[in-house]
Amino acid sequence: MDLSRRRFLQAAVLTAAAAGATAACGGGSGSSGAKDSKNLTLWYWSGGLSDKVVADAKKHFSDISLKTSVVGGDFKTKLLTGLRAAQSAPDITGIKGEDIASFLPNADRFVDLKTVGADKLVPQYLSWKLKQATTQDGKLIGFPIDIGPCATFYREDLFAQAGLPTDPTEVSAQLATWDDYFKAGVELHKAVPKTFLVNNIGSVFTMVVGQGTQRFIDEDGKFIGDQDHIRAAWTTAVKPYTLGIDAKINDNTWNAAISGGTLGTEIGAAWHALDISNAAPGTKGKWRVASLPGGPSNLGGSFLAIPATSGNPEEAFKIISWILGPENQARGFTDAALFPTAPAAYKLPALTGGDAFFGGQKTIEIFGPAAEKIPAAYEAPADAAVSAPFYSELTSIEAKGKDPDEAWKDAVAQAKQIAQRQGVK
Amino acid sequence: MSAGARRGPRRRVAGYWPQYLAISPYYLIFSVFMLFPVLYTVFLAFQKWDGIGDMHFVGFQQFRFLWDDPVFWLSVRNTLVIWVLSTVPMLFMALVLAVLVNSTKRLTAFYRVALFIPSITSLVAIAIFFGAIFSNNFGLINAILRALHLSAVPWMSNEWTIKLVISALMTWQWTGYNAIIYLAGLQAIPSELYEAARMDGAGPVRIFRSITIPLLRPIILFTVVISTVTGLQSFTEPQVLFGSEAATNPNSGGPGQAGLTTLLYFYHQAFDNNDFGYGAAIVWAFFLLILLIVGINWRLVQRKERRS
C-alpha cells in the first residue's frame, strides 16, 4: 500500500488538531471563569456523606446542576492532583479529618468560608471541631461534616461472665480511669481467657493523646513530642501489654477477632459502631457503649471545603450549609453513621432513639456529652509525620518484645529527626 | 564519494520517516507519562514540597537526611531480605517445574496455562488470600497446626515470619512465570545432546548439571536480572497485608515495620505525609542501589559462565 507523503501529513495534522480541539473543549467546559456558574461539582468518598442527603440536595437546589462524584482510592492524592489544575478541581470537596491539618498552610487554595456566610452559622457548631479547620490568622477552610467522639464499646455478656458491671452507667463509673479500665481487663481475661481488653496498644496511645490539649508540635512550631504529656500517654499505652490483656492485632484479622469474642472491649470513635456491626453481625445486642476512661477524645471526622477555583462559592456554601444543617446531619447519622457536628441534632429523634445493635441503648447519652467536652488541641501540618515513629515503636514492643524504655528513646530520636526535616523547631 | 558515505545513515533515517512516525506515538506517550515524571523526580528530590504549596530548594538536605534515616535503612534491609527469601526458592522451583513439564508428553498445554495463572491473578486478591491463610488467630495454617496439637505460629506479627509470608506470596506469584521462560529455553536445547549424553551413560542429575544448566545460562541470567528488578520493587504485597492497619499510622509495614519495603516507605512519605521531595530522594537513592545490585548480580552470574 502506498501512502503518499502529503496524505500522511494531512492525516497526522488532522488527528493532532482533533485531539487538541477535544482537549481544549474539555478544559473550557470546566467551571473556571465567572464566579456564578450554575454547574457545580462535589467530590466526596464512599461513606463520607449520606448519599440520600446528597441526592436530595440535587433536588433542593433545582436552579443549580450539582454533579457529584464518589471518588475512590486515595482521596487526598486525587484532590491534590485536582487542585493543581483549576479545570479539574471540584467546586466543593470533602477533606478527611486526618488530612485537614496538612491543607492549612495552603489555605489560599480554598475559599475562607467566613466570607461566604459561615460566620453566622459558626455558633451552632462545635467550636473545637471548627478550630481544626481554622488557620492561625482566622480563616475557616472547612465546614465540619462529622466528628468521632470516642467511647468504650464492650461486650455485656462477657462482662457479666467476669462479674463486672454490665449497665452502661455503672461501667462508665467503675471504669472511669485508665487504671480502672485495665484492672477490669485483667479480671475479664482471667474469667474468659480467650478475651483480651484492647486490640493493640497503638489504639490506647491515640486515645490518650487525644484527651490532652497538646499534641506533638505546639503552636509556635516547636517539637514537644518528648515532653511529659506524650510520655504519660506512652506509659498508659504500654500497660495493657505488660498486663497481658493486649490482643496485639496489627493486621487485617480485626474482623475475625471482633466476631469471635477475642476482643471484650473496643475503644473507638462513634463511627466505629458501624465497623463493629459490619464485622460481627452475629453479636448484635451483646454490645454496649460506656464513656471512655480518662475523659473524652476525638478520632477523625471530616470537612467540606470550597477550592478557591470554585465556579460559584456563594452557592457552593449554601449547598454545604444545607447538607450539614442539623436536620440533614441527623439523617446522615442514621444513614451513614456520621456523628453530627451541630449539637442541635443531638436532640432529634434520629439520635435519641435506641440502637438495636447495642441492645436498644440510647448511645447518644454517652456520645453527646462527650462530643461537647472534647479538648481542643492544636494539630500541626507535620503532626502525623512526627507521630508515626511512636506508633511504629509501639508495634515493635508488641511484635518483637522490644523493651518499652528503649522503644521510647528510639521513637523520640526518630520523631526529632523527622521534625527537623519538616522544618519544626 | 566520501561525503555520500557520511550522509548515508542520515539519509536512510530520513527515507524511512513514515515508519519512524508510525512508531512515534509510543515514544511520545513514553516521554510525557514516563520520561518526564522520571526527570521531574530528579528535580523534586532537591525541593521540599507538600503537593500544592510553594516549593523550596533545599539542595542535598533530603539526601543527607536519608543517609541518617534509620527507617530508610531498615526498609532497605527488609527489601533485601524479602528479595533473597523469594528469589532463590522461586528460581530454583521454576527450573525444576520447567524440567518436569518439559519431560512430560501429555497435558503440556494445561501445565503451561496452570503455571501462568498465578502471575496474571490480581496481586491484591492474592495478598488478601495470603493474609487470611497466615492470620495469627484465625488463619488456615494455624488452624491446621492447632489440629495437629502443635503450637500456632504468630505469622503476621513476628519480624521474620512477616518477611517469610511476603516472600512466599511473591514466590507463589512468579514461580510459574519464570518456569515458562525456562521452558522456552529448555525447548531450544537440541535433543541430540540429551540422546548423546544418555548413550554415554549419564544419569538425569548429570544431564541436568552438565547440559541443561550450562545451555540455559543466558536464560537464567535474564530471569535473575528481571527477578532482581521486580523483587526489589515489592510494594503491593506488604501494602495490602499491612497497609491500613491503623488510621493513625498507615502504610508503616506492619508490626515492628518488619514488612516495610523501600517502595512502601517512599509511598508513605510521599502520599501519606505529603513529603514529595523526600519521597523522590528515597526512590532515587533506591534506584542507584538497584543498579548496583543488578550489576553485582550480572558479574557473579557472568563469572560463573567464564569459569566453566
Side-chain angles (χ1 to χ4, degrees):
Chain A
M1 49 175 266
D2 246 334
L3 189 63
S4 83
R5 183 175 294 200
R6 183 172 296 163
R7 296 259 336 145
F8 191 89
L9 266 180
Q10 263 175 359
V13 167
L14 276 176
T15 316
T22 322
C25 289
S29 65
S31 49
S32 55
K35 288 283 185 193
D36 53 359
S37 166
K38 294 286 169 206
N39 300 308
L40 296 181
T41 50
L42 162 65
W43 282 11
Y44 65 107
W45 53 93
S46 171
L49 289 170
S50 160
D51 294 326
K52 285 178 195 157
V53 172
V54 169
D56 284 353
K58 287 184 195 170
K59 278 181 233 148
H60 189 261
F61 293 90
S62 48
D63 52 332
I64 294 267
S65 128
L66 180 65
K67 213 175 128 243
T68 58
S69 316
V70 177
V71 177
D74 191 342
F75 187 86
K76 182 178 71 176
T77 306
K78 288 180 185 167
L79 179 61
L80 279 176
T81 316
L83 287 177
R84 244 171 271 146
Q87 292 94 331
S88 55
D91 298 291
I92 307 170
T93 182
I95 294 182
K96 292 190 179 178
E98 63 263 35
D99 299 331
I100 189 83
S102 68
F103 282 104
L104 287 177
N106 298 299
D108 54 336
R109 293 281 188 150
F110 296 93
V111 172
D112 177 5
L113 300 179
K114 285 181 179 162
T115 64
V116 287
D119 43 348
K120 279 176 241 115
L121 295 172
V122 158
Q124 298 173 27
Y125 292 81
L126 294 165
S127 59
W128 62 266
K129 187 65 183 173
L130 287 165
K131 199 185 165 200
Q132 286 185 353
T134 309
T135 62
Q136 279 175 312
D137 57 354
K139 283 189 197 126
L140 180 70
I141 64 163
F143 214 63
I145 300 174
D146 67 324
I147 52 170
C150 297
T152 311
F153 300 87
Y154 66 95
R155 281 278 296 269
E156 194 203 27
D157 54 333
L158 300 178
F159 268 44
Q161 258 179 283
L164 292 164
T166 53
D167 177 67
T169 330
E170 284 174 44
V171 173
S172 302
Q174 188 171 332
L175 277 60
T177 68
W178 285 105
D179 282 329
D180 294 334
Y181 176 63
F182 298 147
K183 216 174 99 194
V186 173
E187 284 174 41
L188 181 67
H189 186 61
K190 211 184 286 168
V192 194
K194 67 158 188 169
T195 299
F196 294 88
L197 188 72
V198 295
N199 65 334
N200 60 46
I201 56 180
S203 67
V204 179
F205 186 69
T206 311
M207 292 295 146
V208 186
V209 170
Q211 286 171 337
T213 50
Q214 284 183 307
R215 298 184 64 86
F216 297 87
I217 298 167
D218 72 7
E219 290 180 355
D220 302 325
K222 200 170 150 280
F223 175 69
I224 49 170
D226 52 349
Q227 293 183 5
D228 289 346
H229 63 291
I230 299 294
R231 177 76 222 212
W234 176 278
T235 314
T236 308
V238 171
K239 261 180 210 160
Y241 167 77
T242 40
L243 291 170
I245 46 175
D246 169 21
K248 302 176 195 166
I249 295 171
N250 281 304
D251 57 11
N252 45 21
T253 57
W254 178 84
N255 281 21
I258 208 84
S259 58
T262 304
L263 290 170
T265 72
E266 267 288 289
I267 40 177
W271 44 260
H272 201 54
L274 196 65
D275 297 338
I276 297 176
S277 59
N278 283 343
T283 59
K284 184 175 175 176
K286 292 178 181 167
W287 289 90
R288 295 290 181 278
V289 186
S291 307
L292 189 71
S297 187
N298 179 69
L299 193 63
S302 310
F303 296 89
L304 280 178
I306 305 177
T309 52
S310 174
N312 194 343
E314 306 268 335
E315 202 61 35
F317 187 72
K318 276 184 203 153
I319 296 173
I320 290 179
S321 53
W322 189 84
I323 290 177
L324 299 181
E327 295 278 334
N328 283 325
Q329 285 206 348
R331 289 179 63 201
F333 178 74
T334 2
D335 189 33
L338 299 166
F339 198 86
T341 51
Y346 302 165
K347 296 176 183 69
L348 298 175
L351 282 96
T352 53
D355 189 330
F357 189 80
F358 296 102
Q361 188 191 345
K362 291 171 180 161
T363 56
I364 189 69
E365 289 170 3
I366 301 289
F367 291 122
E372 297 185 52
K373 276 184 288 186
I374 286 166
Y378 169 69
E379 190 177 339
D383 197 80
V386 169
S387 66
F390 293 91
Y391 290 99
S392 301
E393 289 297 324
L394 284 172
T395 59
S396 281
I397 295 177
E398 287 176 323
K400 306 181 198 168
K402 190 169 177 175
D403 174 53
D405 287 324
E406 202 182 307
W408 165 259
K409 271 180 217 139
D410 289 352
V412 169
Q414 268 184 47
K416 273 185 181 161
Q417 250 182 325
I418 295 170
Q420 197 190 355
R421 195 183 77 242
Q422 298 277 353
V424 175
K425 281 171 260 172
Chain B
M1 183 64 208
S2 63
R6 229 183 297 131
R7 225 182 287 141
R10 209 183 303 157
R11 185 180 287 166
R12 211 177 298 150
V13 171
Y16 288 118
W17 71 270
Q19 283 87 333
Y20 281 102
L21 197 62
I23 58 164
S24 67
Y26 169 78
Y27 290 95
L28 286 176
I29 290 171
F30 173 81
S31 324
V32 172
F33 292 103
M34 299 181 85
L35 190 63
F36 172 71
V38 165
L39 296 177
Y40 193 64
T41 54
V42 181
F43 170 71
L44 264 188
F46 296 97
Q47 313 280 329
K48 181 162 170 44
W49 188 45
D50 63 4
I52 45 171
D54 297 327
M55 291 189 188
H56 299 285
F57 179 76
V58 291
F60 280 95
Q61 196 193 309
Q62 318 259 30
F63 290 98
R64 210 177 303 138
F65 183 85
L66 193 71
W67 187 255
D68 295 327
D69 184 356
V71 184
F72 172 72
W73 294 109
L74 172 75
S75 77
V76 169
R77 278 199 302 278
N78 286 344
T79 311
L80 292 179
V81 169
I82 291 170
W83 167 60
V84 171
L85 283 180
S86 64
T87 307
V88 173
M90 173 171 81
L91 293 185
F92 177 74
M93 276 161 44
L95 193 54
V96 173
L97 277 173
V99 171
L100 287 178
V101 173
N102 195 38
S103 62
T104 54
K105 300 277 181 291
R106 302 166 60 202
L107 291 174
T108 48
F110 166 77
Y111 289 128
R112 277 175 220 180
V113 171
L115 282 176
F116 210 69
I117 278 178
S119 59
I120 54 167
T121 313
S122 155
L123 186 48
V124 174
I126 303 174
I128 292 172
F129 181 66
F130 266 69
I133 286 186
F134 283 99
S135 155
N136 288 349
N137 297 313
F138 314 98
L140 181 67
I141 294 192
N142 277 350
I144 293 171
L145 287 177
R146 280 196 205 98
L148 296 172
H149 299 289
L150 296 165
S151 59
V153 179
W155 296 104
M156 304 297 260
S157 53
N158 176 287
E159 61 171 320
W160 285 98
T161 49
I162 283 173
K163 294 186 178 75
L164 258 176
V165 170
I166 296 172
S167 311
L169 200 162
M170 291 165 72
T171 306
W172 190 81
Q173 189 179 23
W174 295 112
T175 299
Y177 173 84
N178 286 303
I180 294 287
I181 295 177
Y182 286 147
L183 190 59
L186 286 174
Q187 297 194 328
I189 299 175
S191 54
E192 299 91 76
L193 285 177
Y194 287 114
E195 278 161 30
R198 241 172 261 130
M199 296 276 269
D200 291 344
V205 175
R206 180 69 204 261
I207 290 177
F208 185 73
R209 275 182 46 219
S210 304
I211 296 178
T212 312
I213 293 285
L215 288 172
L216 263 188
R217 193 148 276 155
I219 310 263
I220 293 175
L221 181 68
F222 171 77
T223 56
V224 166
V225 171
I226 293 291
S227 310
T228 305
V229 174
T230 53
L232 291 175
Q233 289 179 350
S234 51
F235 163 72
T236 319
E237 299 87 352
Q239 212 262 340
V240 176
L241 283 173
F242 300 106
S244 52
E245 125 231 352
T248 41
N249 192 18
N251 298 317
S252 57
Q257 293 176 298
L260 185 74
T261 59
T262 308
L263 284 197
L264 188 60
Y265 185 52
F266 146 73
Y267 182 85
H268 180 60
Q269 289 297 344
F271 296 104
D272 292 325
N273 290 348
N274 276 10
D275 204 343
F276 291 94
Y278 192 51
I282 292 173
V283 280
W284 271 98
F286 193 54
F287 171 73
L288 297 178
L289 200 72
I290 293 185
L291 270 191
L292 186 76
I293 292 171
V294 169
I296 292 172
N297 242 325
W298 183 276
R299 286 294 292 269
L300 282 178
V301 183
Q302 283 269 352
R303 192 184 302 152
K304 239 187 256 162
E305 190 172 22
R306 251 178 262 137
R307 209 188 289 146
S308 59

